[in-house]
């Protein structure tokens, strides 16, 4: 509750109304002033107190509603009780606002043998448990992404148990009020997490939830409603093979009048945005799909005792469907009318677009008649082209074009084929034709007997649901073909490689026409779905689809296969096929147990099932037999493949039990599948590739494909689709977590030889690295996390982190992360590790950096620190050529610091041709008349080769970089035990380096003078050190300290330190502006006049940089001890010195460009101070840092790394 409130009370009432509230007196005063001007004056016109109350309440509610409307504030559907639970959840587990609670349940958690009663909280990314009993508190946090097994089981002692397993622990929960609801929700959330690991599809709240009736109570959160609606929609789409974006609006019990048997069938009606569907209570009795695009009339018929609440729906093909016994007919009709109106407006819009497109395209011809591919065919093939295009196109199914019939085939086989066609035509007459056909047991019988060759493509489209997507996306395929024309990527390369391996034995794919059609379909799909692109086995399946369907139809059949019927089968890791392989093993263990152990020992199941599932038996059976399997698959889904695979094992059970190795078992199964024949086929025999690979033993007796299919339905037809889905979920957890573990092992194996970390340490660090990525994925970050996780990339590149995530890990794991100044250092470190400049680093980069700090020697650590600061600064004001030059300067380590200056001075008068010019120590800048790419390639090749970096190769450190290095050194020791001693040592080293830089600058300036001046300039180093810097006093960046300070014993004059960068962020870079020769003499003018310098006899020759952060107000007090300037931290702010005033110099005059030091000088200076040597050589306890990183609790998020945090007990 806010501390300040304005309440309204009617005099005769005890009820107060909160009109306004504020967090401060100023805020609440502003509210009161607004009320005085806009509300209080109006109240005087009312005579009745009740009228005033009504007016005030209405006015305030109106203001709130108007604000919400203008600021697009979503209505909060959650109840107060749920909001309270959500707040408690975030407080208990330190979760941010982004972590949404879905639901919470009362249950018991078993810690050992003791149950602890408490609350189970299920959020989008975590499963959490909290208990507080008898003064003891228990907490548990488990990431959904780390769960390896989730199952519901029952024992004698615990009838209802949910078991949650991770890689390290197993957690048991029991005593649920509604265990089924809890388990289903947990399953769904775990599935979302697996989907995120698999293809980066995160969770987004669906705002367009189905409308609730007014009487419906809001007992659950909006998020829970959303997830429930998603689950129902998924089951609905799977049941009726509908497009993947179809959302179920609602369902109701009803009856359907079926004219073919004159009965009212009891079932359920489902209504969604674009479809009305029906399925009978008895599953196989009848099902019906009515697309709203086909509906012409929806009307309420008159009710009667025989037919209560009837509803009649008529379609374009003159079919009428009569539903009755509808409980809420009026509400249903209103919803259908709303959807019909939306559908009609869509159709009109598409017609207008198509008519306008037709006017344009009529001049260019149809895209279907113009192939995007360039023909390489001979002149003979060109004469075959009837469409006058460069390549023959498949405007119809390839089977009709390349059908070859021998004279002897015009007999019983053709007669049987004719009878099949007649049977289907009769079926259409009785049960309807097209999408709105009644699908009954009779339809299934006809499919099992075999679909006629001429009707196969049409019925595949119908049963797969592809016909719906094709009807609602006119012109989509043509657009894709046009867009993909001439585009090349990895997918198109793989497609080209596999084109001639696709049914090469069939005549349709022995010429350019079939190959070109296959190329277009596969390429179009690769551009439609880049996540899949192209996968091996897609070419085999697609070539069969093209034989029986037109190009566009084959494309939509492929869409149905890859995205709905065989989910995740054809991605880079064939996860879907591996999942179904696990399901098949589970089914084999249950239904052929005597064979299962033997097959597992031989390792055959995993070998055979992958090819069977990926190609739907097309690659292991004779073609004319395999298409019968495809017929059944399109009608009944994946259960057909499981049934058939179990039947094949069952038929060969005795031979397989006698096999001694996997090769023998494969031969047995291969010979059996080769012998599967289709005696009804009218196709000429096509040699089967698999049969050429079997042994020369006696052929297996022929097996009729129709008998095999019917046998599979009789023996294993009871396997239900929903059971398969349940088993798929279980296996998906296992498969994806196995893939993640494999990725971790491969990454560790790749880099273990490059670092001093042990394998166990690397695995722990990888878990932390991955967890940091996932945390940012959950709760957002500075850029899109999907860019940092791509499962298709090599193992090392799959997880990458950006600079913000690196800062989090830096503060937990890296030894130099002391105090509040670690972020700027982490940012510098990140830039050094980010070698390719994409603002992301992989695990190898991360380990290389951490390895130097944890296991490197003194020189390596100092070299790393030096290189962090010698990197070119990022200047946001620069244009592209400058940033490109900086990148080049970074990658070529042997470029001198003067390169940028020479480029600026020489490049101004030259025309910018886009090429980067680089000056090396051994050569001068020269303009390239023509770009020598071989030269650049040679340089790049030399850079990519691992070489031992010499300290002499490191560029010099200029003055601004030296300033930043000094700041870093001072900030590193802020929380060290030997802080004071380290400050003294740093001050000594800084003074020494400053003197070295000044000496080097004088030598550099002397070399520029004439020979006479050069001869006179030689003097002893002591003379040089005694020079008074009158014109060359050192202004260290934005912080200036006068040269020399009084002794302790004397009365000290406090000096104001100017910090021009106080208004800038800690990592703000200093821009070096060009100055002319005229400015050079005055570029280092002093802030203190020469007279003032001479008057202060106690001043030493050189000043020292003040330490401290730009963000901190505390300054450093300087004392002169034994002629070394030492910095001591003081909480007292020095008073402003009157003689300094507010004068400041621009950046161009505050940096001495001639000043520079080398790494050797930096290293030698540090080695003179034992305190610094001990600091950089002190051993690092990696194990304790990893443990601390696991257990540390950061503000705004739970512990970073652990997949399930240990139960913490207190009290």
């Amino acid at each position: 509750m806010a501390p300040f409130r304005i309440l309204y009370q009617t005099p005769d009432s005890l009820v107060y109304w909160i009109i306004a509230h504020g967090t401060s007196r100023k805020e609440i005063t502003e509210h009161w002033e607004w009320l005085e001007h806009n509300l209080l004056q109006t109240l005087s016109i009312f005579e009745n107190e009740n009228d005033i109350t009504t007016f005030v309440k209405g006015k305030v509610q109106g203001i709130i509603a108007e604000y919400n409307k203008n600021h697009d504030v979503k209505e909060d559907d959650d109840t107060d009780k749920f909001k309270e639970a959500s707040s408690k959840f975030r407080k208990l587990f330190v979760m941010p606002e982004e972590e949404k609670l879905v639901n919470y349940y009362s249950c018991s958690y078993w810690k050992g043998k003791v149950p602890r009663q408490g609350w189970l909280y299920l959020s989008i990314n975590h499963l959490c448990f909290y208990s507080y009993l008898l003064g003891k508190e228990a907490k548990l946090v488990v990431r959904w992404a780390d769960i390896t097994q989730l199952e519901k089981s029952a024992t004698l002692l615990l009838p209802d148990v949910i078991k949650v397993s991770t890689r390290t622990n197993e957690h048991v929960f029991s005593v649920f009020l509604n265990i089924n609801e809890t388990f289903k929700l947990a399953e769904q959330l775990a599935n979302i997490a697996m989907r995120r690991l698999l293809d980066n599809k995160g969770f987004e709240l669906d705002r367009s939830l189905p409308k609730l009736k007014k009487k419906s109570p809001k007992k659950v959160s909006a998020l829970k409603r959303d997830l429930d609606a998603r689950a129902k929609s998924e089951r609905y789409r799977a049941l009726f093979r509908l497009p993947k974006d179809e959302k179920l609006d609602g369902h109701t019990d009803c009856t359907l009048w079926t004219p073919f048997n004159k009965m009212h069938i009891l079932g359920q009606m489902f209504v969604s945005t674009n479809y009305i569907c029906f399925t009978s209570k008895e599953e196989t009795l009848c099902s019906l799909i009515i697309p709203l695009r086909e509906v012409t009339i929806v009307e309420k018929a008159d009710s009667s005792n025989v037919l209560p609440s009837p509803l009649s729906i008529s379609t374009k093909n003159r079919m009428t469907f009569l539903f009755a016994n509808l409980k809420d007919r009026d509400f249903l009709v209103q919803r259908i009318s709303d959807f019909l109106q939306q559908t009609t407006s869509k159709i009109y819009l598409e017609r207008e677009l198509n008519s306008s497109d037709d006017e344009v395209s009529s001049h260019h011809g149809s895209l279907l008649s113009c192939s995007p591919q360039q023909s390489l065919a001979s002149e003979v093939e060109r004469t075959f082209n009837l469409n006058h295009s460069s390549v023959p196109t498949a405007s119809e199914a390839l089977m009709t074009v390349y059908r070859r019939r021998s004279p002897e085939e015009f007999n019983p086989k053709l007669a049987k084929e004719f009878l099949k066609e007649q049977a289907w035509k009769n079926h259409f007459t009785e049960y309807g034709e097209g999408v709105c056909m009644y699908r009954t047991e009779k339809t299934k019988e006809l499919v099992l007997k075999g679909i006629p060759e001429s009707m196969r493509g049409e019925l595949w489209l119908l049963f797969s649901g592809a016909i719906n997507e094709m009807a609602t996306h006119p012109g989509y395929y043509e657009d894709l073909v046009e867009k993909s024309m001439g585009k090349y990527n990895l997918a198109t390369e793989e497609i080209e490689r596999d084109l001639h391996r696709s049914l090469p034995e069939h005549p349709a794919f022995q010429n350019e026409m079939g190959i070109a059609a296959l190329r277009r379909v596969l390429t179009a799909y690769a551009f439609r779905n880049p996540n899949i692109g192209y996968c091996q086995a897609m070419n085999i399946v697609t070539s069969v689809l093209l034989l029986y369907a037109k190009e566009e139809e084959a494309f939509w059949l492929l869409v149905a296969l890859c995205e709905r019927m065989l989910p995740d089968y054809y991605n880079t890791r064939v996860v879907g096929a591996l999942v179904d392989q696990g399901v098949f093993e589970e089914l084999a263990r249950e239904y052929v147990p005597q064979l299962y152990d033997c097959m597992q020992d031989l390792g055959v199941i995993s070998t055979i099932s992958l090819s069977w599932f990926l190609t739907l038996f097309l690659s292991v059976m004779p073609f004319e037999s395999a298409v019968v399997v495809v017929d059944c698959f399109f009608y009944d889904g994946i259960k057909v493949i499981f049934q058939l695979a179990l039947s094949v094992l069952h038929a060969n059970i005795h031979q397989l039990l006698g096999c001694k190795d996997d090769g023998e078992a494969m031969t047995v199964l291969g010979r059996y599948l080769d012998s599967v024949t289709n005696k009804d086929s009218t196709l000429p025999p096509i040699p089967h590739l698999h049969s050429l690979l079997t042994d020369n033993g006696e052929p297996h007796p022929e097996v009729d494909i129709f008998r095999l299919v019917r046998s599979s339905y009789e023996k294993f037809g009871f396997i239900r689709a929903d059971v398969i889905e349940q088993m798929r979920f279980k296996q998906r957890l296992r498969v994806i977590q196995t893939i993640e573990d494999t990725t971790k092992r491969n990454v560790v194996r790749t880099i273990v030889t490059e670092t001093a970390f042990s394998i166990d340490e690397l695995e722990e660090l990888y878990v932390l690295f991955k967890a940091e990525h996932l945390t940012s994925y959950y709760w957002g970050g500075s850029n899109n996390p999907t860019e940092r996780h791509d499962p298709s990339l090599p193992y090392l590149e799959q997880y990458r982190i950006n600079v913000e995530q690196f800062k989090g890990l830096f503060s937990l794991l890296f030894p130099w992360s002391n105090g509040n100044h670690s972020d700027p250092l982490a940012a510098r470190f990140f830039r050094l590790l980010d070698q390719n400049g994409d603002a992301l680093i992989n695990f190898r980069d991360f380990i290389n950096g951490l390895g130097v700090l944890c296991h490197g020697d003194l020189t390596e650590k100092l070299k790393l620190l030096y290189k962090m600061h010698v990197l070119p600064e990022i200047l946001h004001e620069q244009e592209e050529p400058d940033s490109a030059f900086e990148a080049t300067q970074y990658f070529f380590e042997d470029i001198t610091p003067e390169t940028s200056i020479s480029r600026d001075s020489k490049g101004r008068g030259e025309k910018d041709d886009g090429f980067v010019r680089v000056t090396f120590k051994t050569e001068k800048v020269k303009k390239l008349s023509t770009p020598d790419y071989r030269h650049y390639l040679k340089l790049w090749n030399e850079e990519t080769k691992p070489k031992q970096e010499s300290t002499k190769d490191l560029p010099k450190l200029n003055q601004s970089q030296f300033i930043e290095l000094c700041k870093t050194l001072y900030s590193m020791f802020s929380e060290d035990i030997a802080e004071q001693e380290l400050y003294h040592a740093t001050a000594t080293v800084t003074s020494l380096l400053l003197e070295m830089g000044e000496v080097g600058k004088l030598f550099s300036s002397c070399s520029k003078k004439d020979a006479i001046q050069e001869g006179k300039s030689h003097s002893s180093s002591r003379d040089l050190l005694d020079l008074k810097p009158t014109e060359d006093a050192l202004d260290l960046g934005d912080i200036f300290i006068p040269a020399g300070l009084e002794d302790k014993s004397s009365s000290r004059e406090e000096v104001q330190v100017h910090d021009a960068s106080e208004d800038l962020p800690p990592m703000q870079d200093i821009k070096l502006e060009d100055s002319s020769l005229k400015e050079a003499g005055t570029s280092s003018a002093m802030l203190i006049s020469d007279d003032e310098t001479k008057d202060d006899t106690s001043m030493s020759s050189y000043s020292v940089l003040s330490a401290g952060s730009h963000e901190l107000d505390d300054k450093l007090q300087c004392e002169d001890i034994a002629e070394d300037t030492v910095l001591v931290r003081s909480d007292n702010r020095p008073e402003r010195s009157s003689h300094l005033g507010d004068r400041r110099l621009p950046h161009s005059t505050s940096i001495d460009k001639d000043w520079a030091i080398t790494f050797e000088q930096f290293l030698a200076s540090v080695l003179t101070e034992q305190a610094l040597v001990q600091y950089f050589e002190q051993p690092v306890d990696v194990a304790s840092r990893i443990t601390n990183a696991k257990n540390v609790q950061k503000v705004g998020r739970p512990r970073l790394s652990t997949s399930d945090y240990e139960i913490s007990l207190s009290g």
Side-chain angles (χ1 to χ4, degrees), residues 245 588 820:
D245 56 351
N820 298 322

Side-chain angles (χ1 to χ4, degrees), residues 932-1042:
D932 189 354
Y933 296 108
R934 288 174 297 177
H935 173 66
Y936 288 114
L937 285 172
K938 184 180 178 183
L939 290 176
W940 175 79
N941 189 39
E942 289 174 357
E943 287 296 322
T944 53
K945 289 180 182 177
K947 62 179 181 180
Q948 188 66 34
E949 185 183 45
S950 171
T951 55
K952 293 182 179 180
D953 294 334
L954 292 173
K956 291 182 180 180
L957 201 70
N958 64 33
Q959 198 176 86
S960 65
Q961 294 166 343
F962 174 69
I963 292 167
E964 295 301 325
L965 174 61
C966 293
K967 292 177 183 176
T968 298
L969 281 171
Y970 280 112
S971 63
M972 281 170 61
F973 316 132
S974 61
E975 295 179 5
D976 196 273
I977 300 174
E979 180 180 357
Q980 193 67 28
E981 188 179 353
L982 287 168
Y983 279 149
H984 280 262
T986 305
T988 305
V989 170
T990 304
S991 299
L992 191 57
L993 287 171
L994 284 168
E995 292 175 0
M996 288 180 182
E998 289 294 327
V999 171
K1001 185 184 73 172
L1002 290 174
F1003 274 116
S1004 176
S1005 62
C1006 286
S1007 64
K1008 297 176 184 177
K1009 296 179 181 180
D1010 58 350
I1012 299 172
Q1013 291 287 353
E1014 186 177 350
K1016 293 181 180 180
S1017 65
H1018 288 291
S1019 59
S1020 66
S1021 60
R1022 178 63 188 165
D1023 292 333
L1024 290 172
L1025 293 175
D1026 288 338
L1027 289 175
K1028 279 281 181 180
T1030 56
E1031 290 295 320
D1032 294 328
L1034 183 60
D1035 182 3
L1036 296 175
D1038 293 332
I1039 303 176
F1040 182 87
I1041 295 184

Side-chain angles (χ1 to χ4, degrees), residues 646-833:
L646 289 170
S647 291
V648 171
L649 292 183
H650 191 268
N652 293 277
I653 191 166
H654 299 297
Q655 295 93 316
L656 290 170
L657 285 172
C659 292
K660 298 177 182 178
D661 55 42
D662 57 342
E664 190 177 349
M666 294 289 291
T667 303
V668 168
L669 292 170
R671 288 180 60 200
Y672 178 84
L673 290 170
D674 283 334
S675 67
V676 177
T677 58
N678 180 359
K679 294 180 181 179
D680 294 349
S681 175
T682 60
L683 300 175
I686 299 172
H688 185 233
L689 183 63
H690 194 271
S691 63
L692 304 176
L693 304 177
T694 55
D695 61 359
N696 296 323
E698 292 185 10
H700 192 281
E702 287 187 354
V703 179
D704 183 64
I705 181 62
F706 296 107
R707 286 185 181 176
L708 179 61
V709 169
R710 195 166 289 279
S711 169
S712 73
Y713 270 92
E714 290 170 357
K715 291 177 181 175
F716 306 105
F718 50 82
I719 298 174
R720 293 168 54 88
D722 56 345
V723 174
I724 291 174
E725 281 304 315
Q726 182 69 34
M727 296 168 79
R728 274 178 166 177
F729 164 75
K730 180 180 176 182
Q731 294 298 327
R732 192 177 292 116
L733 285 178
R734 181 188 61 80
V735 168
I736 293 178
Q737 296 295 13
T738 301
I739 289 173
E740 291 293 308
D741 290 342
T742 303
T743 300
K744 179 175 72 174
R745 286 195 299 271
N746 285 328
V747 168
V748 169
R749 191 183 302 122
T750 303
I751 64 176
V752 68
T753 57
E754 305 171 7
T755 179
F757 290 110
S758 67
I759 291 178
D760 291 339
E761 286 173 343
L762 284 172
E763 288 187 347
E764 293 279 8
L765 289 168
Y766 180 83
V767 171
L768 285 166
F769 186 87
K770 174 184 165 185
E772 183 65 31
H773 163 84
L774 289 176
T775 303
S776 75
Y777 199 166
Y778 296 157
W779 303 325
S782 58
N783 63 350
N784 186 4
T786 59
E787 296 172 3
R788 304 192 295 277
H789 176 220
D790 186 353
S792 64
L793 290 174
Y795 292 119
L796 266 173
E797 297 293 330
Q798 285 185 18
Y799 288 104
R800 293 175 292 171
I801 59 173
N802 63 9
V803 64
E804 293 302 321
Q805 296 168 291
F806 179 75
K807 286 177 182 178
L809 289 174
F810 184 85
S811 63
L812 290 172
L813 294 168
F814 287 67
W816 294 352
S817 60
N818 291 329
N820 298 322
H821 310 280
S822 63
D823 278 4
L825 183 60
R828 287 184 174 277
F829 206 163
F830 183 86
R831 282 188 62 205
L832 183 64
L833 298 177

Side-chain angles (χ1 to χ4, degrees), residues 254-256 269 278 288 290 309-311 313 321-324 326:
C254 67
T255 58
L256 171 66
M269 175 196 281
F278 173 87
L288 180 66
I290 309 173
S309 303
L311 180 67
I313 298 176
F321 304 95
L322 187 62
F323 298 92
L326 294 161

Side-chain angles (χ1 to χ4, degrees), residues 368-502:
L368 281 176
S369 63
C370 298
S371 170
Q373 303 294 336
Q374 294 298 319
S375 175
L376 299 176
S378 64
E379 290 301 320
V380 178
E381 286 179 319
R382 289 181 190 277
T383 59
F384 174 79
N385 181 7
L386 303 177
N387 295 323
H388 305 290
S389 60
S390 57
V391 178
T393 57
S395 57
E396 56 184 334
L398 293 178
M399 188 64 79
T400 60
V401 179
Y402 293 97
R403 187 152 186 159
R404 297 182 305 175
R405 284 178 176 166
S406 304
E408 64 271 12
E409 285 183 333
F410 288 93
N411 48 23
K413 287 186 178 180
L414 280 179
K416 199 165 187 179
E417 184 79 0
F418 177 75
L419 289 175
K420 281 184 183 179
E421 290 178 6
Q422 286 301 120
W424 275 98
K425 286 177 182 177
N426 294 337
H427 184 78
F428 292 150
T429 304
E430 188 175 357
Y431 294 89
E433 189 174 3
V435 193
C436 301
M437 176 178 69
Y438 291 99
R439 304 172 196 218
T440 66
E441 194 68 27
K442 181 81 176 292
T443 316
K444 182 177 176 181
E445 283 295 318
L446 286 174
V447 172
L448 293 182
K449 289 177 182 177
I451 296 176
E453 298 280 336
S454 60
M455 295 182 174
R456 188 160 269 144
E458 174 192 345
L459 290 173
W460 282 358
L461 276 173
L462 182 65
F463 295 143
S464 66
I467 191 170
N468 292 315
E469 287 169 299
M470 191 171 78
T472 53
H473 295 83
Y476 178 83
Y477 174 68
E478 290 91 331
D479 289 343
L480 267 183
V481 170
E482 191 174 8
K483 287 175 183 175
S484 62
M485 186 166 48
K487 302 287 179 63
Y488 298 98
N489 55 23
L490 182 61
T492 57
E493 288 179 18
E494 292 178 345
I495 289 169
E496 289 297 327
R497 186 185 62 208
D498 286 351
L499 282 176
H500 295 279
R501 304 176 189 173
S502 312

Side-chain angles (χ1 to χ4, degrees), residues 123-329:
S123 69
I124 288 295
N125 302 303
H126 297 88
L127 175 150
C128 305
F129 176 83
Y130 179 79
S131 173
Y132 187 81
L133 287 174
L134 303 175
K136 290 189 176 181
E137 185 182 59
K139 283 185 184 179
L140 173 72
V141 180
V142 183
R143 272 199 187 91
W144 292 117
D146 294 312
I147 289 178
T148 56
Q149 195 171 0
L150 182 66
E151 56 183 344
K152 183 175 65 173
S153 59
T155 61
L156 290 175
L157 294 175
L158 301 169
D160 291 324
V161 167
I162 293 178
K163 192 182 294 183
V164 179
S165 304
T166 64
R167 291 176 177 82
T168 55
N169 288 27
E170 186 177 274
H171 309 286
V172 178
F173 301 92
S174 64
V175 196
F176 288 92
L177 294 176
N178 190 342
I179 190 169
N180 291 327
E181 179 190 330
T182 310
F183 184 70
K184 281 181 181 178
L185 180 58
E187 261 190 340
Q188 199 173 0
L189 292 168
N191 228 352
I192 290 171
M194 293 304 108
R195 175 61 54 191
R196 180 178 290 156
L197 287 177
L198 182 61
D199 56 15
N200 279 335
K201 288 185 180 177
F203 177 82
E204 292 181 5
L205 181 62
D206 185 5
R207 294 290 180 182
S208 57
L209 290 174
K211 289 185 178 178
L212 289 174
K213 297 178 185 178
K214 292 183 178 179
K215 297 178 183 177
S216 302
K218 294 190 296 184
K219 294 182 179 179
V220 295
S221 67
L223 202 51
K224 176 69 166 60
R225 277 184 56 217
D226 180 8
L227 289 169
D228 289 344
R230 287 177 190 225
K232 289 177 181 177
S233 292
E234 282 176 16
R235 289 195 293 270
Y236 167 65
R237 289 193 296 266
L239 182 61
F240 297 105
R241 307 277 169 77
L242 299 177
K244 61 180 181 180
D245 56 351
E246 192 66 19
K247 294 178 183 176
L248 178 65
D249 189 68
H251 59 89
T252 182
D253 292 335
C254 67
T255 58
L256 171 66
W257 169 254
T258 49
F260 52 86
N261 60 1
K262 307 292 189 295
M263 288 177 63
H264 289 283
I265 298 177
L266 183 63
Q268 278 191 321
M269 175 196 281
F270 299 84
V271 179
S272 62
T273 318
N274 301 294
Y275 298 88
I276 299 172
C277 301
F278 173 87
T279 184
S280 57
K281 290 285 187 184
E282 192 178 333
E283 191 177 348
T284 57
L285 201 55
C286 179
S287 68
L288 180 66
I289 300 170
I290 309 173
L292 291 183
R293 64 178 183 273
E294 298 290 328
V295 172
T296 55
I297 300 172
V298 177
E299 56 183 348
K300 293 183 281 188
D302 295 332
S303 294
S304 64
N305 293 332
V306 181
L307 205 62
S309 303
L311 180 67
S312 172
I313 298 176
S314 302
T315 61
K316 293 175 183 176
N317 60 354
R318 298 180 182 177
M319 292 181 71
T320 300
F321 304 95
L322 187 62
F323 298 92
N325 292 285
L326 294 161
K327 292 180 181 177
D328 198 343
R329 186 175 63 167

